[in-house]
Amino acid sequence: MTKLKFSHVSTGFIAVFIGYASAAAIIYQAAMSAGATQEQVASWFWALGIGMGATTILLSFCYKKPVVTAWSTPGAALLITSLEGLTMNQSVAVFLFSSLLITLVGMAGIFERVLKQIPTSIASAMLAGILLQFGLGLFTSLMEEVQIVVVMLAVFVLAKSRLGNLLIPSIFAIALVMCIGLGKLDVSQVTLGLTAPVFIMPDFEFFSLISVGIPLFIVTMASQNLPGFAVLKANGYQVDSSKIITTTGVTGLLLAPLGGFAYNLAAITGAICMGPNADDDPKTRYMAGISMGVFYLLAGVMGMSFVSLFSAVPPAVVIAVAGLAVMPTLMNCLAVSMADSHYREPALFTFLFTASGTNLLGIGSAFWGLCIGLLCCWLHNYKVRTNGDNRASQAQS
């Protein structure tokens, strides 16, 4: 049996911290736009935490790989405007419909066939484009919290070789101490207590199912699941995507009446659990995923208390921690994406478009960057085949 290490636990905690601190406000706004009460908002976080925790633990343990799930942040952003005018009952019906579509796609094995067509160089380039925003955020955060971020950077550079897997936890601890010392930790809104789930009966209304449910399904699959599986592929982990998607879809069907609007593969937090900060040995990094799942469960049980606790940390510090945590993965992805000269140009286009953050038709840049990269690969291969055929014809004549 694999021994649990402190780096597994600390990485799991930091990944959950970054996920909640950076996106919980979007979930809150989405729930409020549907007219949710405070009890129902808390139930949303209960369902999301329990669902993500259960699936992350189950999948990581079964595959012995860090298979990390998350809520759909782009999906939540979509819901902020899309749920206006709908009741909570109609919103739950939308969640059920979207989860049903995800389940059907997983059972049909469609996604598995799509993933097999993506070269590792292109997948790595897409992931690098996603992570670049966090790397840049590390330096833009200097403008807001100069003292804290400078110290964090200094520790990262000077103590990296000495601290090893304890580097990011140590930086996080130092940042918290400095926040307390400088009066930057706002605990005025922190409340502690357990959360109880609230069941909401779905109200199926055809127009809302089509106008909101289908876009939620598309955004979740294209902007979350696709990058999530790209993270696994870029880190050398092969999994059965159909079973994983089916698992997240079924989880949504079970927990949608309690507020679980969407479950999918994680990209950013997944990358953190797959990096060397979690473990030097890639074969045992799945323990970081299991640890993350346990913290997810704790976050679900505590609901809004967990959210308020993480929200007390200055946003600039959260961004800086995330930037430092993904730095090793970012470096590896850049190296892998440019290693194969055959895919170098398509990978570059994928990286640049993904990093641009361009949003088209409500779908994030990662999806479109991947599409451009695959199109460039196809055009390149087509030219190679055409030139080869022409040379063969000339030789015969």
Side-chain angles (χ1 to χ4, degrees), residues 31-366:
M32 294 304 293
S33 68
T37 64
Q38 288 300 314
E39 290 77 14
Q40 289 172 335
V41 172
S43 182
W44 276 42
F45 283 105
W46 184 93
L48 291 169
I50 297 299
M52 295 185 302
T55 51
T56 297
I57 292 172
L58 174 65
L59 294 171
S60 294
F61 179 78
C62 290
Y63 285 100
K64 296 296 186 290
K65 296 168 184 175
V67 183
V68 176
T69 62
W71 58 48
S72 175
T73 302
L78 171 73
L79 294 177
I80 291 176
T81 55
S82 301
L83 292 183
E84 291 182 1
L86 300 184
T87 64
M88 277 299 297
N89 306 83
Q90 291 171 337
S91 299
V92 165
V94 166
F95 305 160
L96 283 168
F97 181 62
S98 176
S99 295
L100 176 62
L101 293 178
I102 293 173
T103 304
L104 294 176
V105 167
M107 294 176 65
I110 299 173
F111 212 71
E112 183 75 25
R113 292 193 289 272
V114 172
L115 290 173
K116 288 181 179 179
Q117 305 305 314
I118 303 175
T120 302
S121 295
I122 303 300
S124 298
M126 181 176 70
L127 178 55
I130 296 171
L131 299 181
L132 180 65
Q133 300 302 321
F134 288 84
L136 295 174
L138 169 63
F139 297 98
T140 56
S141 62
L142 277 168
M143 302 298 294
E144 299 179 41
E145 302 292 346
V146 178
Q147 294 172 290
I148 300 175
V149 177
V150 165
V151 171
M152 293 170 69
L153 274 169
V155 174
F156 183 84
V157 173
L158 299 175
K160 185 176 181 179
S161 58
R162 291 187 177 183
L163 294 177
N165 293 333
L166 299 178
L167 178 63
I168 300 301
S170 300
I171 291 174
F172 180 66
I174 292 170
L176 283 182
V177 172
M178 291 190 68
C179 285
I180 296 172
L182 296 172
K184 300 283 187 177
L185 202 66
D186 183 14
V187 295
S188 60
Q189 302 299 319
V190 175
T191 56
L192 297 178
L194 302 180
T195 296
V198 178
F199 181 84
I200 302 168
M201 182 65 68
D203 177 15
F204 295 93
E205 194 270 321
F206 180 77
F207 178 76
S208 61
L209 294 181
I210 302 301
S211 62
V212 184
I214 292 179
L216 176 60
F217 160 72
I218 293 174
V219 167
T220 300
M221 294 299 292
S223 298
Q224 286 287 157
N225 273 327
L226 199 55
F229 281 108
V231 172
L232 285 163
K233 188 168 187 175
N235 284 276
Y237 294 111
Q238 300 297 322
V239 294
D240 188 332
S241 61
S242 296
K243 291 182 180 179
I244 292 174
I245 289 177
T246 302
T247 300
T248 59
V250 171
T251 303
L253 290 173
L254 294 174
L255 296 177
L258 304 175
F261 65 91
Y263 302 91
N264 45 249
L265 263 287
I268 306 301
T269 52
I272 293 173
C273 289
M274 296 174 207
N277 292 323
D279 199 321
D280 293 326
D281 185 358
K283 294 182 180 179
T284 54
R285 289 174 188 168
Y286 75 93
M287 292 299 294
I290 293 177
S291 298
M292 186 176 179
V294 173
F295 283 113
Y296 268 150
L297 293 177
L298 180 62
V301 171
M302 295 184 66
M304 289 299 294
S305 299
F306 220 69
V307 175
S308 65
L309 188 64
F310 284 164
S311 299
V313 181
V317 175
V318 177
I319 294 171
V321 172
L324 293 171
V326 302
M327 199 69 74
T329 304
L330 176 57
M331 289 188 292
N332 180 66
C333 287
L334 288 172
V336 172
S337 64
M338 297 295 148
D340 191 339
S341 59
H342 181 76
Y343 294 112
R344 193 166 293 160
E345 185 175 284
L348 179 61
F349 279 113
T350 300
F351 169 71
L352 292 176
F353 198 99
T354 302
S356 72
T358 302
N359 189 304
L360 298 175
L361 303 176
I363 300 177
S365 60

